Amino acid sequence: MGSIRVENVVKRFGKVEALKGVRLQVQDQEFLVLLGPSGCGKTTLLRIVAGLETPTQGEVYIGERRVTHLPPRLRGIAMVFQNYAIFPHLTVYENVAFGLRMKRRPEAAIRQKVREVAALLRIEELLERYPAQLSGGQRQRVAVARALAVEPEVLLMDEPLSNLDALLRLEMRAELKRLLKETRTTTLYVTHDQVEAMSLADRIAVMRQGEIVQLGTPTEIYHHPADTFVGGFIGNPPMNFLPVVAEGGQVVLDGLRLPSPAERGPLLLGIRAEDLEVFPEPVEGGFAARVLVVEPLGPHLQLTLEREGTTFRALADPGFAAAPGATLYLRPKEGRVRFFHPETGKAL
Amino acid sequence: MRVWPWLLALAFTLWVLLPIYLIALSAFSPREAVYAWPKAFLPGSLSLETLRFFFGVEGVWRATATSLVVAGLTVAFSLLLGAPAGYALARFPFPGRDAFRVLLILTRAFPIVVLALPLAVLFLRVGLYDTPLGVALVHTALTLPFAVLVSASLFLSIPKELEEAAWTLGCTRTQAFVKVVLPLALPGLAATAIFAFITSWNEVFAASVLTLQNKTLTAYLLTLLDESPLPFKFAGGFFLVVPALVFLFLVRRYLFTLWGISHR
């Protein structure tokens, strides 16, 4: 069974607390993504699971085994590194076979397994080459093949796509998704790219400053962010936050009336750009805003608008006629408005 | 003007190569040609007579053998002590690491002339005097700072992730070092080894002071120099220069590593 359980893991580097008591459970065969800005501790957490760092406090379990103090080789893991870490002095074949040789598998079994994963990653043609003769995308494939060849209980990936150019990244992302569906390997995957996280993950753990701030499916996290940080970090453009004031259990923005979670006082209204409908004329249940910038992005028109000193974004149809300085009317789609506490940023 | 750099380079090249050429020329010329004046700049008649004479002198082969043993020991010590120290410098942050780096270079600040006499006394006391091992220890002290610093920059140039990948694929630390780091470090370590070899092979002062019977070739030639004929000096000089030239030819690529140019 390839589950991972991280219990109250604390990691300090000198005085810096990189992880502040993280709990996390990755189910067998699950694809879980650790997502967060750089320096949030996601890579440290991955390295602790791998055994490349030891936690200052807390325990790590893989399957039912407590592995907190085991070296990487005894943990039943395989890892794909950001810079691939392919051995430059070995051929692709020997790179892929490396883990199997360490396990002293018979030569015939090694040959068969290498062929098998090479076919899976479509690198059969490259087996006799040296890494220096490979492109970035090919190295990436070799690194994944090498990791899968040992049939790990758990696959750990540290920003494996971040060194690829944009087009190749898209291609490899789809490929990885297909691959890991096929192999059903439990995967813990680190990235700072929210699109990558959304597209690959069964569940996402959003991290900030050494803590997991939200854990959930991509849809949950996208539509119900736990706080303004998550809402702002996930989605492009980020979620809009408009300061509003509740009175008598209601929030009123021009013609828009919404029941508020608080009886009275300031609140933040969160709404995603694509959840705002844009109208040229005043509309029932809409509020007014002034256009600052119009960006035709192809599939839609991205509008940057201003209302009472707050800028926010909305998406309109590509054919929508809008000019900077004009006043437009916006109406949130049914059920898409979220409220957040104006100081703590927590969802209400 | 564009010509100046070239002229300058030419002058430097000649400055280095001309003496070597003349030594080689004399070493391969018959005895009369060595004494002849003015010197012929082109080889008139080549012969192995002088070299044959040189190797015929009593004690030359023995001294050569001693030199080889001393240099071999120096290489072994330099690598066995220098490479692990370099690895530690490259991979593990420890308190005083930068101070250690500076101290390493400081060891070269003490002239061997100052150290030689106290060392001779000490070696006499512990029974290392006049042994190849004793000379090799002093030579190791000379080469070790470079062995450490060069191998440190060498290991630093090998990404840590390669080792970590090896660990995750089933290697112990030692296995990862042997299977991944060592093959990648080997050319650089070879350069370090040859550097140690040449340093030891060419070192004359410590070798002279610390030995009596078991002299290395340089020390032996030094004692013979005053009383030997000119052709002998040329042949000896040539024999001493050759290993250094071969070394430079072999390692010119790695000299950049040696001087830390290829690294930030």
Side-chain angles (χ1 to χ4, degrees):
Chain A
M1 289 291 280
S3 63
I4 306 171
R5 205 163 86 236
V6 173
E7 284 185 355
N8 298 319
V9 161
V10 174
K11 177 69 182 178
R12 286 189 208 99
F13 293 106
K15 282 183 186 151
V16 183
E17 201 165 47
L19 294 174
K20 305 169 181 171
V22 172
R23 295 158 172 276
L24 179 68
Q25 176 124 28
V26 186
Q27 311 296 339
D28 187 36
Q29 301 188 8
E30 185 181 24
F31 194 128
L32 191 134
V33 172
L34 293 173
L35 174 67
S38 56
C40 71
K42 55 192 193 299
T43 294
T44 305
L45 181 57
L46 188 81
R47 289 172 59 85
I48 284 175
V49 173
L52 298 172
E53 307 271 358
T54 43
T56 312
Q57 272 168 44
E59 303 287 349
V60 179
Y61 294 83
I62 291 176
E64 287 311 307
R65 287 190 307 149
R66 194 171 72 112
V67 299
T68 316
H69 297 289
L70 291 183
R73 71 194 145 90
L74 301 178
R75 294 191 175 202
I77 55 145
M79 184 153 167
V80 177
F81 291 80
Q82 182 171 6
N83 62 4
Y84 318 139
I86 303 186
F87 306 130
H89 60 300
L90 300 177
T91 59
V92 169
Y93 181 96
E94 285 304 322
N95 262 285
V96 178
F98 192 92
L100 301 167
R101 291 211 191 286
M102 290 311 299
K103 289 184 174 179
R104 301 186 183 286
R105 292 283 160 76
E107 198 58 41
I110 292 177
R111 201 174 314 121
Q112 198 201 335
K113 188 69 199 174
V114 172
R115 298 272 166 220
E116 187 188 319
V117 286
L120 206 59
L121 269 300
R122 304 187 183 132
I123 51 169
E124 298 109 309
E125 310 296 314
L126 308 176
L127 286 176
E128 298 315 314
R129 298 223 198 143
Y130 280 91
Q133 301 164 285
L134 303 180
S135 68
Q138 290 169 332
R139 285 180 209 195
Q140 174 63 61
R141 286 163 189 273
V142 174
V144 176
R146 183 178 68 180
L148 287 178
V150 296
E151 295 177 20
E153 281 179 68
V154 163
L155 182 61
L156 306 172
M157 301 180 117
D158 185 9
E159 310 227 10
L161 303 182
S162 64
N163 282 3
L164 300 177
D165 61 59
L167 210 64
L168 205 55
R169 196 179 314 163
L170 236 88
E171 190 188 316
M172 270 312 283
R173 196 171 78 196
E175 186 117 344
L176 267 184
K177 186 155 186 168
R178 164 188 74 87
L179 200 67
L180 292 163
K181 276 275 172 313
E182 271 175 49
T183 58
R184 297 167 164 270
T185 312
T186 310
T187 306
L188 188 57
Y189 185 106
V190 163
T191 183
H192 65 266
D193 180 336
Q194 44 100 9
V195 181
E196 213 170 286
M198 296 284 293
S199 91
L200 288 170
D202 294 325
R203 283 192 304 159
I204 298 175
V206 185
M207 290 188 70
R208 182 173 66 154
Q209 291 172 3
E211 285 171 312
I212 293 178
V213 285
Q214 190 172 9
L215 176 63
T217 64
T219 332
E220 270 167 34
I221 288 188
Y222 189 79
H223 291 295
H224 298 273
D227 59 17
T228 50
F229 166 77
V230 178
F233 191 72
I234 301 216
N236 186 20
M239 192 176 232
N240 298 310
F241 300 104
L242 299 168
V244 292
V245 179
E247 244 170 85
Q250 248 192 352
V251 166
V252 180
L253 268 181
D254 298 346
L256 173 68
R257 289 167 180 278
L258 292 165
S260 115
E263 184 58 29
R264 54 187 299 118
L267 288 171
L268 282 177
L269 182 155
I271 179 88
R272 294 218 172 259
E274 71 271 20
D275 292 335
L276 282 170
E277 291 177 291
V278 188
F279 300 91
E281 303 293 333
V283 64
E284 166 105 28
F287 61 93
R290 198 165 54 87
V291 179
L292 291 180
V293 184
V294 180
E295 296 167 276
L297 297 182
H300 48 246
L301 207 60
Q302 180 170 305
L303 305 170
T304 305
L305 305 122
E306 189 255 2
R307 181 194 159 84
E308 289 170 3
T310 309
T311 55
F312 62 98
R313 294 195 181 86
L315 301 179
D317 283 338
F320 189 86
T327 299
L328 294 178
Y329 300 87
L330 301 122
R331 187 170 65 190
K333 287 182 189 163
E334 187 76 30
R336 290 295 163 86
V337 168
R338 306 282 171 253
F339 285 103
F340 299 90
H341 192 282
E343 271 129 46
T344 64
K346 297 265 181 249
L348 297 169
Chain B
M1 278 294 281
R2 285 243 158 233
V3 197
W4 282 109
W6 288 102
L7 278 180
L8 212 62
L10 188 71
F12 275 122
T13 314
L14 284 180
W15 193 51
V16 173
L17 285 187
L18 206 59
I20 296 176
Y21 172 72
L22 289 176
I23 290 172
L25 191 65
S26 300
F28 285 101
S29 294
R31 195 179 292 235
E32 316 79 68
V34 175
Y35 285 116
W37 192 263
K39 282 253 175 288
F41 196 72
L42 296 172
S45 54
L46 287 179
S47 96
L48 291 175
E49 183 199 344
T50 312
L51 275 183
R52 205 174 296 135
F53 170 71
F54 170 75
F55 286 117
V57 171
E58 196 201 330
V60 165
W61 282 115
R62 200 174 104 97
T64 306
T66 310
S67 264
L68 285 175
V69 170
V70 170
L73 285 174
T74 305
V75 168
F77 292 153
S78 301
L79 283 187
L80 290 178
L81 296 171
Y87 185 79
L89 267 183
R91 285 288 190 263
F92 303 104
F94 53 87
R97 179 162 68 166
D98 291 331
F100 179 66
R101 244 182 244 273
V102 176
L103 276 176
L104 273 176
I105 303 178
L106 269 185
T107 56
R108 295 301 305 262
F110 299 99
I112 194 78
V113 184
V114 176
L115 294 176
L117 279 176
L119 273 178
V121 174
L122 181 72
F123 278 14
L124 273 171
R125 214 174 282 160
V126 296
L128 277 173
Y129 189 78
D130 203 19
T131 60
L133 178 65
V135 180
L137 284 178
V138 175
H139 287 176
T140 305
L142 293 177
T143 59
L144 203 52
F146 289 101
V148 174
L149 294 178
V150 169
S151 52
S153 80
L154 199 64
F155 290 129
L156 216 52
S157 72
I158 298 170
K160 194 171 194 300
E161 285 84 357
L162 289 181
E163 262 179 282
E164 292 178 340
W167 300 342
T168 61
L169 289 167
C171 285
T172 61
R173 264 183 181 270
T174 318
Q175 284 172 322
F177 184 82
V178 172
K179 282 177 188 289
V180 174
V181 179
L182 208 52
L184 295 171
L186 218 50
L189 287 179
T192 312
I194 299 170
F195 177 79
F197 188 92
I198 296 300
T199 305
S200 167
W201 177 268
N202 285 345
E203 200 284 326
V204 63
F205 191 84
S208 301
V209 175
L210 298 176
T211 54
L212 216 53
Q213 306 293 320
N214 296 311
K215 292 221 172 295
T216 61
L217 186 61
T218 42
Y220 185 64
L221 288 181
L222 194 69
T223 59
L224 285 187
L225 220 59
D226 275 347
E227 54 215 76
S228 46
L230 200 55
F232 183 87
K233 293 177 187 172
F234 280 120
F238 180 71
F239 192 53
L240 284 173
V241 163
V242 167
L245 286 182
V246 172
F247 157 72
L248 282 174
F249 184 74
L250 287 178
V251 303
R252 59 202 189 289
R253 262 182 61 205
Y254 302 110
L255 283 177
F256 290 106
T257 324
L258 208 65
W259 294 327
I261 291 173
S262 58
H263 302 293
R264 292 144 284 149

